[in-house]
């Protein structure tokens, strides 16, 4: 299972060269992660939030411009005992061409104890559902 969100590039997300600024991609990826967490049944907020982002990256494949319509497809690339890695494909909505590819590694985390924890079985099952599409 993958989760998708749609984005329309806003003027403020572009730079002096007229294309989307590299920092804007990370905002798109964050929104995709939040939506994916909601798919997992975890609402964002400060009460009992179980995730901490430990790594994120984005490879820029094609330039993207103001008003361009994008689709971000998010799925699970890898599942560990205490963490998982999400794969984000950013595509042009019209051509379906990949314009950027991102990854984010997320740790299941107890903020009260300040320690990572084993991913609970019910969450692991949801993650595995999304991971199976890639294998």
């Amino acid at each position: 299972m993958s989760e998708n969100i749609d984005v329309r590039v806003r003027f403020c997300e572009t730079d002096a060269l007229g294309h989307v600024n590299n920092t804007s991609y990370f905002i798109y990826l964050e929104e995709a992660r939040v939506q994916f967490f909601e798919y997992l049944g975890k609402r964002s907020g400060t009460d009992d939030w179980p995730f901490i982002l430990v790594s994120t990256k984005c490879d820029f494949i094609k330039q993207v411009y103001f008003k361009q319509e994008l689709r971000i497809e998010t799925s699970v690339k890898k599942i560990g005992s205490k963490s998982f890695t999400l794969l984000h494909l950013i595509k042009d909505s019209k051509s379906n061409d990949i314009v950027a590819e991102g990854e984010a590694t997320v740790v299941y985390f107890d903020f009260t104890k300040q320690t990572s924890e084993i991913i609970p079985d019910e969450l692991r099952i949801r993650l595995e559902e999304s991971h199976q599409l890639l294998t």
Side-chain angles (χ1 to χ4, degrees):
M1 173 87 199
S2 68
E3 286 295 301
N4 302 324
I5 67 164
D6 295 316
V7 172
R8 184 170 190 236
V9 175
R10 296 174 293 193
F11 181 75
C12 65
E13 296 164 345
T14 62
D15 60 20
L17 299 174
H19 60 234
V20 170
N21 184 280
N22 63 81
T23 60
S24 296
Y25 289 89
F26 291 95
I27 295 169
Y28 305 155
L29 298 180
E30 178 185 51
E31 180 62 24
R33 272 193 314 278
V34 168
Q35 299 264 345
F36 188 79
F37 293 151
E38 288 181 4
Y39 157 76
L40 293 175
K42 304 292 184 185
R43 299 277 180 223
S44 59
T46 57
D47 295 338
D48 198 30
W49 183 250
F51 304 118
I52 191 166
L53 182 68
V54 296
S55 177
T56 187
K57 71 172 211 140
C58 187
D59 295 326
F60 313 111
I61 298 166
K62 293 185 176 185
Q63 295 182 71
V64 174
Y65 298 94
F66 175 52
K67 292 188 179 181
Q68 194 167 343
E69 301 281 341
L70 304 174
R71 170 157 287 200
I72 298 113
E73 298 175 359
T74 301
S75 56
V76 176
K77 180 177 180 179
K78 178 182 173 187
I79 305 169
S81 61
K82 296 182 177 185
S83 67
F84 55 94
T85 301
L86 298 176
L87 173 65
H88 301 287
L89 296 178
I90 303 176
K91 297 181 176 183
D92 178 88
S93 294
K94 292 180 181 156
S95 69
N96 208 36
D97 289 343
I98 296 173
V99 298
E101 186 174 312
E103 285 188 12
T105 300
V106 179
V107 170
Y108 195 80
F109 195 79
D110 184 320
F111 284 90
T112 303
K113 297 176 188 173
Q114 289 293 297
T115 59
S116 58
E117 295 192 332
I118 301 292
I119 296 171
D121 290 340
E122 65 276 359
L123 177 57
R124 180 172 296 283
I125 290 167
R126 296 298 302 264
L127 293 169
E128 287 172 350
E129 290 171 356
S130 179
H131 180 65
Q132 289 174 358
L133 288 179
L134 294 177
T135 57

